[in-house]
Amino acid sequence: MKKILAALLLLSLVLFCAGASANSWGLSGSLYQAVESSGLWKNYSALSNQAGPFAVMKSRYHHALFFADEDRELHVYTTAVYQPEAKRKAPKLSLDDRELTIRYGEDEYYRFWDTDEGYELTEAVIGLFRLIALADEDGLLWHYAAQDAEGIAVFPVKITLASFNIDLFPRSVEEVRRLNALQARFDSRQRILGTGSEEGGAYSPDDPGELLQPKKKGTAAVYSAPYGTAAWRAGKGKAAVGLNGSMYLLSLFTDAGGTPYACIRYDVSERTQRIGYALCGDLGLSVEEDEANAPFAAVEMEASVDTYLTDDPDVSQFRQLSVPAGTRVTCLGLYNDYYAYVSAKVNNGRPADKGSVVWGFVPARDLIPADLEPLAECMAQVAGDWYLESGGSLTEDLLQLRADGTFSEGFGEEDEADAGEYEEEDTDADTEEEEEEELIIPGAHSGTWFVTRYDPSMNLYWDEPPFEITLMYGNGSVRTYGMSMTDTHLSFTCAEEGASYIPWTWDPDAE
């Protein structure tokens, strides 16, 4: 009997110690086990409630959403929640079957549905602004409808929990339309540092890139741009990476003198990363000349509001430099759906006409094109009805470019709002009999158009066309192509695709 009592007492003591250990984070279950086994996050505790394998964790200067998957592997998503400087109340998490909701009060919440590819956004509400995932009759998924008091527009992106950025998430239909225009213009220069997967996708904390472990002594200098001492350097001019640790390779770049640089991402602290350039020689990397050809663009943009530049777009988003409204920068491409990669000059910590070269990340929503003037004379020449003769289907077969700056596609009737073509995606098989919400989406086959001059130095199109054409659809989507024309043909190019059009005249006798 005494042995049994002793065993029970020992078991109680073990359970008490385990509970006390769990309570040091305020976690339980698989999430506690995942955090405990990682050996990190000693200075963190739960900010609010735990919902299944999810919890928002906090330290003094850092918040992050923690998630333990079915294999009890820990995932940490920093940009999915507001940081301490936002001075927001703790979020409330809820997990209903396979749907995670992150809620900040009654008028702001974000819902993510568990799919085979991870948790993906299905709905977001911020005051009067709403974004909802849609599926059309052809099964086209992960196009969102954005809606507010000013109207409605589609947002053709895919938003996962791993890529979600709550700080830079759009908050109006007007902002969605501007982001659509920016993404359309840089269609061939998106995810420009994206070597985190075989497909070259954007960075994800679940797929950070090619792991490098030089296993050497000392450190390597890290610059914001691949120009050595001519480039701005973070850390008060002393930014460096330890060669005996781990880092991730994003891209390679060879300067005009033939010196190869590696763009790397590495941890500065538990809550901060940095993206910058180190000499390949310092990292022990041997690079073939044809391997270091980063496909950067060079498009002049302007800050529409006071904004900032960071070298850590994925974790801390620390504001390294202020970028006042009106500042000109050269956009090298889009890093992801939230950040543009830009080049500028900096002097004494401020953007300047002369100074050190700085490459970094600026919120895409804060940039607008510089000097983008429509060419009225060119538009008058191009106006007319055009039929697709060959190439990719960049538009419908018939494209009618009117002299008043409007256009329509296809042979159907005048484009109207798409009522019933888009329906809210059903994410639960048990609710199939429920009436699905119907949204009225503006027309997807008509809108306005304009033509601008294109400079081949922008490096956006493979055929170096003299013009760009932008088609702004009524549903908020945007397409921008390189454009060339002759007496008999109109040609569009985008990324590696192209399409050729010829004049079209309707012949009733041919019916």
Side-chain angles (χ1 to χ4, degrees):
M1 185 65 180
K2 290 182 178 179
K3 291 182 178 181
I4 295 175
L5 290 173
L8 291 174
L9 181 61
L10 179 61
L11 179 59
S12 299
L13 182 61
V14 170
L15 292 175
F16 173 81
C17 292
S21 177
N23 287 333
S24 66
W25 285 298
L27 302 176
S28 62
S30 62
L31 182 56
Y32 162 68
Q33 294 171 357
V35 174
E36 194 275 336
S37 63
S38 72
L40 302 172
W41 318 107
K42 300 298 184 183
N43 298 321
Y44 283 70
S45 61
L47 176 63
S48 59
N49 67 300
Q50 179 178 345
F54 292 94
V56 179
M57 304 294 288
K58 68 173 182 177
S59 67
R60 185 177 180 184
Y61 301 108
H62 189 214
H63 293 167
L65 179 67
F66 282 36
F67 164 52
D69 63 23
E70 294 180 353
D71 298 323
R72 295 182 180 177
E73 180 179 350
L74 182 64
H75 304 260
V76 179
Y77 304 133
T78 302
T79 60
V81 293
Y82 289 114
Q83 294 305 303
E85 57 267 24
K87 298 181 180 180
R88 298 294 299 268
K89 292 183 178 180
K92 181 180 179 180
L93 304 184
S94 61
L95 189 63
D96 183 8
D97 191 11
R98 296 167 57 191
E99 185 177 69
L100 169 71
T101 300
I102 305 173
R103 183 180 292 275
Y104 285 89
E106 292 299 320
D107 61 349
E108 182 175 356
Y109 63 83
Y110 308 87
R111 290 199 171 110
F112 296 83
W113 181 252
D114 184 14
T115 73
D116 292 338
E117 299 180 0
Y119 280 82
E120 298 178 348
L121 184 73
T122 59
E123 184 183 15
V125 170
I126 309 171
L128 298 178
F129 175 75
R130 184 187 187 200
L131 194 78
I132 187 166
L134 302 174
D136 68 12
E137 58 186 6
D138 296 322
L140 180 61
L141 300 178
W142 305 120
H143 283 201
Y144 297 90
Q147 189 174 21
D148 63 13
E150 302 301 318
I152 191 168
V154 297
F155 192 37
V157 300
K158 179 178 178 178
I159 302 172
T160 66
L161 188 58
S163 66
F164 176 57
N165 188 317
I166 196 169
D167 286 322
L168 299 183
F169 192 77
R171 282 162 165 74
S172 69
V173 167
E174 189 273 335
E175 191 173 316
V176 164
R177 289 177 179 267
R178 284 196 288 111
L179 287 172
N180 286 345
L182 191 65
Q183 290 172 352
R185 195 172 192 204
F186 288 93
D187 181 66
S188 63
R189 293 295 179 264
Q190 294 195 42
R191 317 299 190 256
I192 52 173
L193 299 181
T195 58
S197 68
E198 293 180 0
E199 292 79 20
Y203 164 83
S204 162
D206 299 330
D207 192 8
E210 179 184 345
L211 178 64
L212 297 180
Q213 294 175 308
K215 296 182 179 179
K216 298 170 64 177
K217 295 182 179 179
T219 62
V222 176
Y223 303 93
S224 67
Y227 299 117
T229 56
W232 180 82
R233 192 174 172 189
K236 298 181 179 180
K238 299 179 181 179
V241 60
L243 297 177
N244 62 345
S246 299
M247 63 196 76
Y248 293 92
L249 177 65
L250 302 187
S251 69
L252 299 168
F253 184 90
T254 299
D255 67 12
T259 302
Y261 287 83
C263 181
I264 58 173
R265 176 192 294 109
Y266 64 99
D267 290 337
V268 177
S269 68
E270 191 177 61
R271 61 185 179 87
T272 307
Q273 292 183 349
R274 174 168 292 128
I275 293 177
Y277 291 82
L279 288 165
C280 288
D282 289 348
L283 304 181
L285 289 176
S286 59
V287 181
E288 299 294 334
E289 185 175 351
D290 60 354
E291 290 181 335
N293 296 313
F296 294 129
V299 179
E300 291 301 304
M301 306 290 289
E302 182 177 301
S304 60
V305 296
D306 290 343
T307 186
Y308 64 92
L309 179 146
T310 182
D311 59 359
D312 181 17
D314 302 312
V315 182
S316 70
Q317 303 180 87
F318 178 74
R319 302 186 176 204
Q320 287 284 6
L321 298 169
S322 296
V323 180
T327 302
R328 292 285 188 100
V329 297
T330 300
C331 188
L332 306 174
L334 301 184
Y335 176 67
N336 56 25
D337 292 329
Y338 305 101
Y339 278 104
Y341 196 36
V342 307
S343 172
K345 295 287 184 67
V346 60
N347 192 355
N348 292 325
R350 296 178 178 274
D353 294 333
K354 297 181 179 180
S356 300
V357 178
V358 58
W359 288 11
F361 307 89
V362 172
R365 68 183 185 188
D366 296 341
L367 296 178
I368 57 175
D371 302 328
L372 196 63
E373 295 294 331
L375 300 175
E377 183 176 343
C378 180
M379 291 179 63
Q381 291 179 304
V382 173
D385 297 342
W386 298 92
Y387 184 77
L388 180 65
E389 179 188 44
S390 62
S393 55
L394 301 184
T395 68
E396 299 287 343
D397 287 352
L398 177 64
L399 177 63
Q400 297 176 293
L401 300 173
R402 304 186 185 93
D404 65 357
T406 63
F407 77 90
S408 61
E409 292 180 351
F411 291 91
E413 297 179 359
E414 187 71 18
D415 192 24
E416 296 179 355
D418 297 330
E421 287 191 12
Y422 290 84
E423 293 178 338
E424 181 174 0
E425 184 188 1
D426 178 18
T427 57
D428 190 339
D430 295 334
T431 62
E432 288 183 355
E433 64 276 7
E434 296 180 5
E435 184 177 353
E436 294 178 327
E437 180 177 351
E438 183 178 77
L439 296 176
I440 307 301
I441 309 295
H445 301 287
S446 64
T448 60
W449 67 286
F450 62 90
V451 172
T452 55
R453 193 169 303 281
Y454 174 74
D455 185 341
S457 65
M458 294 180 182
N459 196 27
L460 294 175
Y461 309 104
W462 54 269
D463 62 337
E464 299 186 352
F467 305 104
E468 279 185 310
I469 184 170
T470 297
L471 306 174
M472 306 184 72
Y473 292 78
N475 67 356
S477 61
V478 181
R479 297 177 185 175
T480 298
Y481 303 126
M483 190 189 82
S484 304
M485 58 182 177
T486 66
D487 293 339
T488 58
H489 286 80
L490 181 68
S491 299
F492 294 166
T493 52
C494 178
E496 297 179 357
E497 297 182 278
S500 180
Y501 299 80
I502 57 175
W504 181 84
T505 302
W506 180 58
D507 182 1
D509 296 330
E511 291 290 322

